[in-house]
Amino acid sequence: MADPHSSPHDAGTTGILDTQSCITVRVNGISQAVTVDNRESLLDVLRERLSLTGAKKGCDHGQCGACTVLVDGRRVNSCLLLAVAQDGTDVVTVEGLAETASDRLHPLQQAFLDRDAFQCGYCTPGQICSALGAIDEAAAGHPSCATDPAHPTDGPVTLTAAEIRERLNGNLCRCGAYPNIVDAVGDVVR
């Protein structure tokens, strides 16, 4: 039974609460063991400990999408995830999309270049990771608010311009490059 007079900060027999944990995360195909502060976000660990600065810290409240990465294939706002909870996961950042051996960009990265789908570029890494996740979600048949309610639930969803806009609405571009972003994603799914 817990001592009713103990401090919530006391733990175990040492009286010291563990504030760090060692986790192993596979990042861009490479397994990494990292000691993290239990309060650190995945974004901070990626940027400050692993020197992967592609994911950007925008609002730090999960509202702008600049920090979007893929965790186990699903797009997430990395500023909202505790790194300690990502032990054993597979994380992909924008740095992990290009083929490093051939120096060839991922088709989405190339489409963003071809369509000039960025202006300042701050949101671009999150937009690209989000678009990749959205393409995979549509291919798996996950509907969005823009999906026709009569669409069969067992087939892929066609990514129209309306679908792309709806699926990427959590990623803000303050420069207003949205039309080119939709065109770039559309180029990859056609």
Side-chain angles (χ1 to χ4, degrees):
M1 180 172 200
D3 178 359
H5 303 291
S6 68
S7 162
H9 299 290
D10 292 344
T13 57
T14 64
I16 299 172
L17 186 64
D18 288 333
T19 59
Q20 295 187 331
S21 298
C22 185
I23 64 170
T24 301
V25 182
R26 188 173 165 88
V27 180
N28 297 331
I30 300 170
S31 185
Q32 311 244 6
V34 186
T35 300
V36 299
D37 185 302
N38 294 339
R39 300 163 293 182
E40 279 184 295
S41 70
L42 176 61
L43 175 62
D44 287 340
V45 169
L46 291 171
R47 291 183 57 83
E48 296 170 20
R49 295 181 185 262
L50 301 178
S51 300
L52 295 168
T53 57
K56 301 294 187 265
K57 184 175 276 195
C59 65
D60 208 21
H61 289 85
Q63 297 176 347
C64 73
C67 66
T68 303
V69 299
L70 301 170
V71 173
D72 291 336
R74 303 293 305 257
R75 54 194 168 140
V76 298
N77 292 323
S78 61
C79 71
L80 295 181
L81 298 180
L82 290 173
V84 70
Q86 306 313 307
D87 188 31
T89 60
D90 189 13
V91 178
V92 175
T93 69
V94 74
E95 292 95 337
L97 299 180
E99 293 179 23
T100 53
S102 65
D103 255 357
R104 198 168 76 194
L105 295 177
H106 184 280
L108 266 173
Q109 292 171 311
Q110 187 62 55
F112 269 65
L113 280 173
D114 293 345
R115 288 287 191 164
D116 193 20
F118 45 77
Q119 291 179 7
C120 83
Y122 195 81
C123 71
T124 303
Q127 294 273 6
I128 290 173
C129 285
S130 186
L132 187 59
I135 290 170
D136 290 345
E137 291 164 13
H142 298 281
S144 76
C145 290
T147 304
D148 181 351
H151 177 78
T153 58
D154 60 348
V157 177
T158 302
L159 282 178
T160 62
E163 281 280 356
I164 294 169
R165 284 189 195 97
E166 172 59 27
R167 290 173 189 266
L168 297 184
N169 72 10
N171 291 78
L172 303 180
C173 172
R174 290 169 178 84
C175 301
Y178 296 115
N180 294 352
I181 292 168
V182 172
D183 291 343
V185 176
D187 286 350
V188 173
V189 297
R190 287 188 186 109

